[in-house]
Amino acid sequence: MSRAEEEEEEAKNYFVYRNPSQPVEARVSDLLSRMTLQEKLGQMTQIDRSVADSAAITDLCIGSVLNGGGSDNDVMNRASAADWADMIDAFQNSALQSRLGIPIVYAADAVHGHNNVYGATIFPHHISLGATRDPDLVQRIGAATALEVRATGVHGNFAPCVAVCRDPRWGRSYESFSEDTEIVRKMTSMVTGLQGSPPIGHPDGYPFVAGRKNVFGCAKHFVGDGGTHEGKNEGNAITSYDDLETIHLLPYLDCLSQGVCTVMASYSSWNGSQLHSHKFLLTDVLKDKLNFKGFVITDWEGIDRLSHPHGSNYRDCISASINAGVDMVMVPFRYKQFLEDLTHLAESGEIPMSRINDAVERILRVKFISGVFEHPLTDRSLLDTVGCKMHREVAREAVRKSLVLLKNGKDPKKPFLPLDRNARKILVAGGHADDLGYQCGGWTISWQGSSGRTTIGTTILDAIKATVGQETKVVHEPSPSPATLADEDFSFAVVAVGEGPYAESHGDNSELKIPFNGTELIKSVTEKIPTLAILISGRPLVLEPEMLEKVDAFVAAWLPGTEGKGITDVVFGDYDFEGLLPVTWFKTVDQLPINAGHEPYDPLFPLGFGLRYNM
């Protein structure tokens, strides 16, 4: 053994926290005992990549960096996976130069694939996956996402969202698997996909990460965010504790049983009390009753929202949140002010050192379990997984299984679908037929998403052209002219309409009409040409009876992501429809909220509805 190797071995024996053969709890205890107050408070601080520099990370021992939904990612919009890895490794190298060499964990909102990274596989959003009723598929999507995330150096994923959406007016409806608690519970299999499968006997609530091909997950948003009054984002869930527990809390138990590492507090309130400062729910219930041993993190500028106007009375907000049980604060920008105020609160005793130590213990526990101490830098051998064919095939499968057939033929005895791939001439219309950004929705490259070829993928039009016979003529007009509609040579039309992309409060909508004159477009085409209508949306929208009566077939495709061939796989008959409504489809917005089990229950289509070719 060389002298250098001997010194390294001696260091491991002296610095227990550096020795991977030591138990996690021993490593946590040893490292905590060596930390100054400043180093502890740095670990509780998560900052945005745009303000992260070597001085902040090295000197202040910042614990975590992220690129969140509100982060300015413009400079990274077309960055390669290797570029992301270079950036994150640079941050990590700064952290390793700190006194104790505590690595950062970098986290991202990879909520339907590694959606910030150009060229990554974009899977269907959660509402689509709820329509599949396939926990194994969801687990495989989690595993594929973990590989693409780790390939860029990211250690943690702010997913899955396990909200139970009770009102489609909510701007985050598509981030929920279902209005039904039991469906959401089954889909928490994404946690195991992301983190790996814990061994038999692994204690519920104790964090787990299987290895370097996995990331730590985050169950969010704790708790009741899908049950706010009138579906208001960041609103107020007015409900009893019994209903909060049986409707909204149960999916968290399933996440905890799979070793989920982090839990994110919700922007919303419960009976008027904001979750970011709710000690009963964050500490008494989540940590004490449910025995959660990972760390609780805020949402983006979550503590700022504890006062009005946002960001005022900052020191009081910090005190309220951390004393309630928050362990890591997604600051994400004014970290110097945050650390100054947090230092004052700790030194004055307003936040007890026992609370500080508990928070840091939880953060270090997740870091040791994630393996970041042993492998702080990116595994570049994973780079080829980003957007790879295998992952795109999984995404295509998810699209196929998520499509819900709401109508097939004006006469039940004469089905309109499947379409004839050898038809002579096809009209493809609607603004959503050839728009990858619309197809992917929010949280795609940018926070709100956008239209156009925002990343690499296959639109519905691309898929139709690749599916039909060589002799078939495909005419594409987003808004067909009167002359086109008068053409009697069309065998049929495919009209794709729906919502534009949105995220969070920008998606709150009390009317839920099909935008961009989608209803009128469907009616105008179907008056002249037999028509399949495809709705691209993050939730049910108003389907006017006249339109629904005139159209020959209607498919809810949700937000399918980059793999448009999953749609043509089914509508041209290579596969049967499998999707079942994950939410109730209302007749009018006046019925809202309407969920299965309500009395009276008179929906347009009930929860679980979905037609098949072979019924």
Side-chain angles (χ1 to χ4, degrees), residues 427-457:
L427 173 63
V428 179
H432 290 64
D434 193 33
D435 194 309
L436 197 61
Y438 282 178
Q439 204 168 287
C440 292
W443 296 102
T444 307
I445 303 301
S446 62
W447 174 36
Q448 292 295 319
S450 58
S451 64
R453 295 274 173 172
T454 56
T455 189
I456 298 170

Side-chain angles (χ1 to χ4, degrees), residues 6 10 20 53 111 113 168 196 213 218 342 369 507 510 591:
E6 289 177 355
E10 288 174 5
D53 57 33
V111 298
K213 295 182 179 180
C218 180
L342 183 55
I369 287 168
S510 60
Q591 292 178 298

Side-chain angles (χ1 to χ4, degrees), residues 302-380:
I303 59 172
D304 298 56
R305 288 161 162 80
L306 291 176
S307 64
H308 299 282
H310 289 173
S312 59
N313 303 314
Y314 196 46
R315 186 172 290 181
D316 291 342
C317 295
I318 296 170
S319 176
S321 185
I322 292 176
N323 278 324
V326 163
D327 304 306
M328 182 181 284
V329 175
M330 194 185 296
V331 177
F333 298 121
R334 50 174 175 167
Y335 62 90
K336 292 180 181 178
Q337 181 67 51
F338 172 76
L339 286 170
E340 179 183 319
D341 286 345
L342 183 55
T343 300
H344 171 83
L345 291 165
E347 290 178 342
S348 69
E350 187 171 335
I351 298 178
M353 277 307 301
S354 58
R355 176 77 272 274
I356 299 292
N357 287 337
D358 173 60
V360 179
E361 282 179 5
R362 292 168 176 276
I363 292 163
L364 295 179
R365 179 179 295 126
V366 171
K367 288 191 173 186
F368 283 119
I369 287 168
S370 72
V372 70
F373 275 86
E374 283 65 62
H375 304 287
L377 301 178
T378 307
D379 181 354
R380 304 291 173 125

Side-chain angles (χ1 to χ4, degrees), residues 544-559:
E544 293 183 5
E546 181 186 0
M547 181 273 288
L548 203 56
E549 181 182 348
K550 286 184 175 182
V551 77
D552 295 272
F554 197 97
V555 172
W558 312 110
L559 296 170

Side-chain angles (χ1 to χ4, degrees), residues 442-481:
W443 296 102
T444 307
I445 303 301
S446 62
W447 174 36
Q448 292 295 319
S450 58
S451 64
R453 295 274 173 172
T454 56
T455 189
I456 298 170
T458 304
T459 66
I460 296 171
L461 177 65
D462 295 333
I464 290 172
K465 289 180 175 179
T467 301
V468 297
Q470 292 183 348
E471 303 301 318
T472 300
K473 183 177 181 181
V474 177
V475 176
H476 173 231
E477 289 187 25
S479 298
S481 67

